[in-house]
Amino acid sequence: MFGMICYREPGAETARERMLRGVRFRCEYVRRGVSLLSRRQARAAARKLRSEGIAYALAPEDYPYRAELMRRGIVPPPVLPLYCASAEAVVRFRLEQVGAEPRRSRVTLAAEYVTAELRALAFALCGDVRYLSLAVAAGAGELADELRRLRGVAVQTGPPERLPPAALTAAFGGARAFGEVLRFDETLCVAYDGETSNELLAAMLRAGVLDVGRLRVRSVEQRWPS
């Protein structure tokens, strides 16, 4: 179960649990605004959620005490797994951003090892890009053999510095990569069409109720620490 921080509205229902987009949330109610009482309510809400084994919670966008929650072990659902699960749409959007036509372009996938997300991305792209390369330290040969056997696609593998230049390299984790790189890490920020927040989408993914194939990417950017 996930937690949800809700504002206490006069006369409004204060249900202990709420279903939202197929996800069950344990609700904690707090007052709006900045005050000593509001800060205390944030601390109390975090204690209650943690006592029930809940670590992930949604909060209103304007909630001023998110840091209080985080200091007590209550954090938003992580969005990086969401970005990785929708990697195909994210990569296709970035290719368009950099002006690369997939049918004429080489794409490199870089990682320390083959994950389920990387494997799915390789299968999704292999028939649409001109060349696909794998700069994967562990498991690249097996994945290349699988792509050749099941899709009839020849994939080049090797260290990134020995592979031909790519229009785009999708790099997972701390994998080495060169040229135009899209890193799937904490610096990545993706916006999707619709009004659903990324944190709620991440909760839906974690709960197994999100159809990733229906997501439409609106923007992709890498936000480096200043």
Side-chain angles (χ1 to χ4, degrees):
M1 186 188 296
F2 296 86
M4 180 181 289
I5 304 300
C6 307
Y7 287 134
R8 188 182 298 277
E9 305 290 355
E13 179 186 4
T14 55
R16 179 179 173 83
E17 293 186 5
R18 179 186 298 184
M19 287 291 295
L20 181 62
R21 301 292 297 271
V23 182
R24 189 159 61 102
F25 290 92
R26 167 71 170 85
C27 300
E28 287 294 332
Y29 293 85
V30 298
R31 65 182 297 173
R32 289 180 182 271
V34 177
S35 68
L36 181 58
L37 177 58
S38 297
R39 185 185 297 272
R40 287 173 176 169
Q41 287 180 338
R43 295 170 180 171
R47 284 196 300 270
K48 290 179 183 177
L49 292 175
R50 289 298 295 174
S51 71
E52 297 185 23
I54 296 172
Y56 299 123
L58 304 184
E61 286 188 15
D62 64 345
Y63 186 56
Y65 294 111
R66 286 175 177 253
E68 291 288 345
L69 299 177
M70 294 177 68
R71 276 195 287 269
R72 287 158 178 79
I74 301 298
V75 298
V79 296
L80 184 56
L82 172 68
Y83 300 160
C84 291
S86 59
E88 179 189 353
V90 174
V91 168
R92 291 184 187 280
F93 189 92
R94 177 48 69 91
L95 282 170
E96 184 176 338
Q97 277 186 319
V98 300
E101 170 59 41
R103 293 286 183 183
R104 300 179 179 180
S105 302
R106 177 182 296 274
V107 172
T108 296
L109 307 184
E112 294 299 321
Y113 55 90
V114 175
T115 63
E117 292 83 4
L118 186 140
R119 181 182 181 279
L121 181 58
F123 270 88
L125 294 176
C126 68
D128 294 339
V129 299
R130 184 165 187 177
Y131 301 110
L132 182 67
S133 301
L134 298 176
V136 182
E142 292 84 350
L143 179 55
D145 289 343
E146 194 175 4
L147 289 166
R148 186 182 303 108
R149 185 175 69 255
L150 298 179
R151 294 294 177 84
V153 176
V155 176
Q156 193 167 356
T157 65
E161 64 273 13
R162 296 185 181 178
L163 292 173
L168 179 67
T169 295
F172 294 81
R176 291 184 303 122
F178 304 99
E180 183 67 42
V181 180
L182 175 64
R183 288 205 169 274
F184 283 81
D185 61 15
E186 288 71 19
T187 66
L188 182 61
C189 185
V190 179
Y192 301 93
D193 286 346
E195 301 301 320
T196 305
S197 71
N198 283 7
E199 292 176 359
L200 178 52
L201 290 173
M204 293 169 63
L205 176 70
R206 200 172 183 90
V209 297
L210 178 67
D211 183 356
V212 176
R214 296 176 65 87
L215 293 176
R216 297 292 177 266
V217 176
R218 186 170 67 244
S219 69
V220 174
E221 59 180 314
Q222 211 94 51
R223 294 180 178 175
W224 303 105
S226 56

